Amino acid sequence: RNKNYCILNKQYSPEQYEVIVGRIIEHMMKAGEWGEYFPYSLSPFAYNETIAQEYFPLNREQVLALGGRWREEQLPDIERIADSGNQTLKCTISGRGYKIVPQELNFYKKMKLPIPLVCPDERHYARLKSHNDYKLLDSKCAKCGKDIKTTCRAEIVYCEECYLREVY
């Protein structure tokens, strides 16, 4: 902590550090590793457990072909919900197991709400679909006609200058 010029938790003088870093970069360039991301095999998480699945959805076969890991759900399916203990249900969309804890069950009963038949992950994915795509679209400013890039699909989109003039 609070150290400078460290490699693998060993501190060096600034001159030694620059020499060693140069040698490491040179070796990585020769090995074809420089500029590459860490391989999937080093990730402690399965692909479908990460936010990457939300923005770049892949199926199990695609992830395994890339050398990644996929986590299979192995939770039991319970058809009825009892009033005591944590309850596990099977999602009607994905087939994955998800839990209903006693506090959640009490909330549903108190508010006279039906118990969700879809797991939290699938509900989250459904909300994400209502967001704009994370792709830039070519558009024109509705005020000055300047070419702009936006993620918004609305009819009226302003460039930054027109927007700031309108707001301020």
Side-chain angles (χ1 to χ4, degrees), residues 49-142:
E49 295 178 307
T50 67
I51 197 166
Q53 180 67 9
E54 294 177 14
Y55 295 105
F56 308 102
L58 298 175
N59 62 34
R60 181 181 185 278
E61 291 74 28
Q62 291 171 318
V63 171
L64 295 177
L66 291 170
R69 292 185 309 155
W70 189 267
R71 181 170 180 246
E72 299 293 341
E73 287 289 331
Q74 296 180 347
L75 297 172
D77 179 21
I78 296 175
E79 295 297 326
R80 294 187 170 175
I81 296 180
D83 286 340
S84 62
N86 290 346
Q87 303 302 314
T88 305
L89 300 172
K90 187 175 184 179
C91 177
T92 57
I93 295 176
S94 67
R96 293 176 53 197
Y98 66 100
K99 290 192 172 216
I100 299 285
V101 295
Q103 297 88 339
E104 188 178 6
L105 183 60
N106 290 338
F107 173 78
Y108 291 135
K109 285 181 179 180
K110 179 181 172 186
M111 302 304 282
K112 296 183 173 48
L113 294 171
I115 292 167
L117 301 175
V118 179
C119 69
D121 287 343
E122 291 297 331
R123 287 182 269 161
H124 178 70
Y125 295 148
R127 285 190 300 275
L128 279 178
K129 287 180 183 173
S130 68
H131 295 181
N132 287 337
D133 290 338
Y134 294 97
K135 295 178 183 165
L136 288 176
L137 306 169
D138 292 320
S139 187
K140 290 200 179 288
C141 174

Side-chain angles (χ1 to χ4, degrees), residues 2 19 28-29 32 47 66 69 88 99 127 132 152 160:
N2 301 321
V19 169
M28 289 180 79
M29 287 180 152
Y47 190 85
L66 291 170
R69 292 185 309 155
T88 305
K99 290 192 172 216
R127 285 190 300 275
N132 287 337
C152 185
E160 186 175 4

